Amino acid sequence: MPTATYAQYGEGRKAHKGGRILTATLLPARRAEGAEAGSRWSLRGNRRQVLIDLAMILVALLDVWLKSQWLKALPPDPNFPAVEPYQEWFNWLAVAALVGRRRFPFVVLVLTIPGFFTGWAQMAAMIALYTVARRYITGWQTVVAGVLVWSCRFMTWPPSEFTKTPISGHFHSAIYGFLVIGLPIAIALLAHARQELADRITELAESRERERVLHAHAIRADERAKLAREMHDVVSHQVSLIAMQAGALRMAVADAEHKQVAGTIRTLSTRTLDELRQLVSVLRTTEDSQPGVDELPELAADAGFEVSMQVKGPVDDLAAPVAGAVYRTVQEALTNIRKHAAGASATVLVDADSDDVLVEVRNTAGTPSPAQPSLPSGGHGLVGLRERATLLGGEFSAGPTEEGGFVVMASFPRQRSGSN
């Protein structure tokens, strides 16, 4: 026999419109903004990134400044070329360019190349290479950036000095060039792998949470179906017998007063069965298919008395829990009118023109008849409506009118804002 789990999640199943809407909302998994590897990091509002950038710029600045001071402190040597002003300018340009490394990483790296090739801005070039590798982990930009930085470490300035270097010196420079480009690229790969691992862990946690909620829904659906079956099997059978016996008694007795009592018992039993069926349908209803505002005209037509319906504003884009709450409010109000205000008429107003959806159900004074005794009530219907409105972030009120009738008013935000 199909379980309630299949009824809730099975294909092609349609829920009865007697269901409730106060359920947990399943949200799709969503990665944090800026979490993906190689994203365009923003300096605004991120103190940690600002501190890291400042630290890197400071390291590159010290690298250039200390080497500059060292070279200037050396005694003049005719075999060693003097420091030219353009070399210093290229060095300071390489350091200054690091300010924009997060936004334009490849352009910044190109700007550091002259300072590294003609001067000694090696640290600035390595930092720029790390940023390019972090952004374009497998892109051509990383390959080109690595070749440029390696060439700066392999070549010497001026070019005349390169030709004087022996072959062993070239091999030495080539090996150190690979070390210079390997370190920032390796750190970039490590940071990329760490970010990917963090993202996978986050997605796994969100997936497990969704599975937990789905499992809880399935268990609750099975419990509701079991409770519905028990109520239907135990209560409806006994109430049906009462209605049959009352009908038989009404036909058997001749006294008018006894006939009226038997008719009243049969009427109460029949209405109790109707309300029991509605309650059972509520328990058996899944939460994925809820009635909405578009079904209110059908509800008003089946009310059994005169109902004037008016809907203002757009209602097609209402959140499903809000649309369901509007329907349930009107349904409960019309049920109470039928039970406690026989002979009354009602007006239903749904106003969705503003940020909140307003619902008002107003009825005239009833004209109770001895043949139609009023049903007992525990007052739980209005309490349930108030709780529903509160959970959705809305308001609810109900009370008698000056004309002797009754009015039920509720407001709900267009988008669900309450928590379950």
Side-chain angles (χ1 to χ4, degrees), residues 2-223:
T3 64
T5 305
Y6 176 81
Q8 183 172 4
Y9 303 107
E11 184 177 357
R13 299 300 298 264
K14 182 178 180 181
H16 189 277
K17 62 185 179 182
R20 306 188 68 176
I21 65 171
L22 302 181
T23 64
T25 302
L26 296 180
L27 298 178
R30 186 174 58 185
R31 296 174 68 180
E33 295 182 1
E36 61 182 32
S39 61
R40 289 180 172 82
W41 306 317
S42 173
L43 297 178
R44 291 176 295 182
N46 196 323
R47 184 177 302 175
R48 180 173 177 270
Q49 288 183 352
V50 172
L51 293 178
I52 292 175
D53 288 344
L54 291 177
M56 289 188 174
I57 294 175
L58 180 60
V59 169
L61 180 66
L62 288 176
D63 178 54
V64 170
W65 182 76
L66 292 176
K67 184 64 177 291
S68 176
Q69 296 300 312
W70 175 37
L71 293 177
K72 291 179 180 179
L74 292 176
D77 188 352
N79 297 322
F80 192 83
V83 177
E84 300 292 339
Y86 69 87
Q87 292 178 291
E88 293 194 47
W89 281 107
F90 282 150
N91 288 328
W92 298 121
L93 174 63
V95 174
L98 292 179
V99 175
R101 70 181 185 90
R102 293 185 182 271
R103 188 169 182 83
F104 309 105
F106 191 77
V107 175
V108 169
L109 180 125
V110 172
L111 293 176
T112 61
I113 293 301
F116 187 18
F117 182 57
T118 66
W120 47 89
Q122 176 176 315
M123 191 60 65
M126 293 177 66
I127 293 173
L129 176 59
Y130 161 79
T131 309
V132 172
R134 185 70 177 92
R135 171 76 65 81
Y136 312 105
I137 193 66
T138 58
W140 62 267
Q141 295 91 338
T142 301
V143 177
V144 173
V147 171
L148 290 175
V149 176
W150 179 86
S151 300
C152 292
R153 183 61 182 82
F154 177 72
M155 301 289 290
T156 57
W157 185 264
S160 58
E161 295 295 326
F162 179 76
T163 58
K164 297 178 182 179
T165 305
I167 190 66
S168 58
H170 291 320
F171 276 112
H172 181 271
S173 298
I175 293 173
Y176 269 85
F178 285 114
L179 293 178
V180 168
I181 68 172
L183 180 60
I185 293 179
I187 296 177
L189 287 172
L190 180 62
H192 178 78
R194 180 180 179 277
Q195 185 64 61
E196 286 294 318
L197 179 60
D199 292 340
R200 296 297 180 270
I201 293 175
T202 301
E203 291 177 356
L204 179 61
E206 292 175 346
S207 176
R208 293 186 63 180
E209 178 64 17
R210 291 196 302 273
E211 291 178 358
R212 186 193 66 79
V213 174
L214 286 174
H215 182 64
H217 282 192
I219 293 177
R220 181 168 56 184
D222 284 332
E223 292 176 348

Side-chain angles (χ1 to χ4, degrees), residues 253-270:
V253 297
D255 185 70
E257 183 178 354
H258 291 170
K259 281 181 176 291
Q260 182 179 350
V261 173
T264 300
I265 295 175
R266 180 175 175 80
T267 300
L268 293 175
S269 302
T270 302

Side-chain angles (χ1 to χ4, degrees), residues 265-283:
I265 295 175
R266 180 175 175 80
T267 300
L268 293 175
S269 302
T270 302
R271 293 186 180 179
T272 301
L273 278 176
D274 291 338
E275 295 193 2
L276 177 62
R277 292 190 185 99
Q278 293 180 6
L279 179 59
V280 169
S281 67
V282 167
L283 294 176

